[in-house]
Amino acid sequence: MALRNASSVKEFILLGLTQQPGLQLPLFFLFLGIYVVSVLGNLGLIVLIVLNPHLHTPMYYFLFNLSFTDLCYSSVITPRMLVGFVKQNIISHAECLTQLFFFAFFVIDECYILTAMAYDRYAAICKPLLYQVTMSHQVCLLMTMGVYVMGFAGALSHIVCMLRLTFCDGNIINHYVCDVLPLLKLSCTSTSINEMVVFIVVGVNVIVPSLTLFVSYTLILSNILSIHSAEGRSKAFSTCGSHVIAVSFFFGAAGFMYLKPSSASVDEEKLSTIFYTILGPMLNPFIYSIRNKDVHLALRKTLMKLRFA
């Protein structure tokens, strides 16, 4: 089949989260508040990491990238979602594909950043004497480059396959974001290649991080259990607890979305997407900072500098 990059449908209508008129305004203010908290939280964490030299370590380097990714992909999704609560949410074909690209790019990035953070914790707990070599500046840069290359490759593969589709009649997307699966339902040409690409991209970007996370935390747990001191075990668990919560939240919701049972409804799909695209970016700054003494110290130092500036 010849590739097609033209479509008779020039714009789409995003139905949004719900069609109930009485919920539109309350949901608008709810998600506006979530977005503001997400932006302030992630920007605040980025600023703290940049301004405080004692946070210039591999762990906070990856946390910086996580906050940047969360800030970006919540900004790709939430503002467009808010539009749908106050008026008909019309998006052009080009804008829809652009949103899809950056949505896929940052979601895949998040998978691998969380994986890199797990490897960092493994290196710190299981091989502390070699930590400076294992997680050197060059290694961290290479890992970060790998994160963004995987995100770009996955997002680009979806876009290239989308460009071959023709949307003849239907232009109503029953979602609040231009995602792959809702778009495939509107195509009037074969989507078999797209479905295969979705299977491959999702498979690779789930299996590789999942195996790395599983092996890393199996080794970490084994190492922690071998520590004789209760205080030492508690300290080791505390360094991993926040990351385990973030990983469980992200991969649990994302896994349901793309590995869901066929009986799952569209509303369930939307709800699961909210968890890892909107709530996750809001919660991550709190998950990583509430019990983090280094972040508390950085916040106090920054506030004192501002106070006496």
Side-chain angles (χ1 to χ4, degrees):
M1 182 182 292
L3 294 181
R4 301 177 184 181
N5 58 9
S7 173
S8 58
V9 172
K10 301 302 179 185
E11 59 186 24
F12 297 100
I13 299 173
L14 293 168
L15 284 185
L17 190 60
T18 179
Q19 294 301 295
Q20 299 182 37
L23 294 177
Q24 301 296 322
L25 200 57
L27 287 176
F28 172 83
F29 286 110
L30 172 63
F31 284 102
L32 177 61
I34 290 173
Y35 180 60
V36 170
V37 172
S38 178
V39 169
L40 293 177
N42 284 292
L43 271 179
L45 203 49
I46 288 171
V47 169
L48 287 179
I49 293 171
V50 170
L51 294 181
N52 290 272
H54 76 278
L55 296 183
H56 295 177
T57 64
M59 183 175 79
Y60 291 103
Y61 171 75
F62 290 119
L63 184 55
F64 172 91
N65 281 275
L66 180 68
S67 293
F68 172 74
T69 300
D70 283 340
L71 177 64
C72 289
Y73 86 71
S74 63
S75 297
V76 168
I77 295 169
T78 312
R80 173 61 68 173
M81 180 188 188
L82 293 173
V83 171
F85 291 127
V86 295
K87 66 177 183 179
Q88 189 176 55
N89 199 354
I90 298 174
I91 185 170
S92 71
H93 183 266
E95 288 175 327
C96 188
L97 292 185
T98 301
Q99 186 188 50
L100 171 60
F101 175 84
F102 285 106
F103 172 51
F105 175 72
F106 288 118
V107 167
I108 295 171
D109 287 348
E110 180 114 349
C111 291
Y112 287 100
I113 291 171
L114 290 171
T115 304
M117 293 173 76
Y119 180 76
D120 172 71
R121 291 300 82 206
Y122 156 75
I125 293 174
C126 299
K127 298 184 177 181
L129 297 180
L130 298 175
Y131 181 70
Q132 296 297 328
V133 176
T134 306
M135 298 304 296
S136 66
H137 181 66
Q138 291 81 2
V139 170
C140 290
L141 283 178
L142 287 173
M143 291 175 71
T144 307
M145 287 176 60
V147 165
Y148 292 114
V149 166
M150 291 300 293
F152 180 80
L156 185 63
S157 64
H158 284 312
I159 295 302
V160 169
C161 289
M162 279 294 169
L163 289 174
R164 62 177 293 278
L165 299 181
T166 301
F167 302 95
C168 303
D169 300 312
N171 70 332
I172 298 177
I173 301 175
N174 189 10
H175 215 295
Y176 57 84
V177 62
C178 288
D179 199 0
V180 176
L181 300 182
L183 278 170
L184 293 184
K185 295 177 183 178
L186 300 180
S187 174
C188 57
T189 50
S190 173
T191 61
S192 57
I193 293 177
N194 298 72
E195 291 168 3
M196 181 179 67
V197 169
V198 170
F199 179 78
I200 293 172
V201 171
V202 173
V204 169
N205 294 317
V206 167
I207 292 173
V208 172
S210 296
L211 283 176
T212 306
L213 287 164
F214 177 77
V215 171
S216 296
Y217 275 105
T218 299
L219 294 172
I220 288 171
L221 182 61
S222 174
N223 187 274
I224 290 175
L225 293 177
S226 67
I227 298 174
H228 300 295
S229 164
E231 183 181 351
R233 285 197 299 269
S234 176
K235 184 178 180 180
F237 273 122
S238 67
T239 63
C240 300
S242 299
H243 187 252
V244 170
I245 293 171
V247 166
S248 301
F249 195 86
F250 178 81
F251 279 93
F256 178 84
M257 176 62 195
Y258 292 101
L259 305 174
K260 63 184 181 300
S262 57
S263 58
S265 67
V266 175
D267 289 337
E268 288 175 330
E269 292 179 11
K270 293 179 184 179
L271 185 62
S272 66
T273 308
I274 284 174
F275 275 97
Y276 75 90
T277 61
I278 296 177
L279 293 181
M282 179 193 74
L283 293 175
N284 280 345
F286 298 100
I287 291 173
Y288 284 102
S289 61
I290 285 179
R291 298 180 62 186
N292 190 315
K293 294 179 181 179
D294 291 333
V295 174
H296 293 174
L297 177 61
L299 180 60
R300 286 196 297 269
K301 286 183 176 180
T302 303
L303 291 176
M304 287 181 66
K305 288 179 182 177
L306 292 174
R307 182 180 177 183
F308 294 107

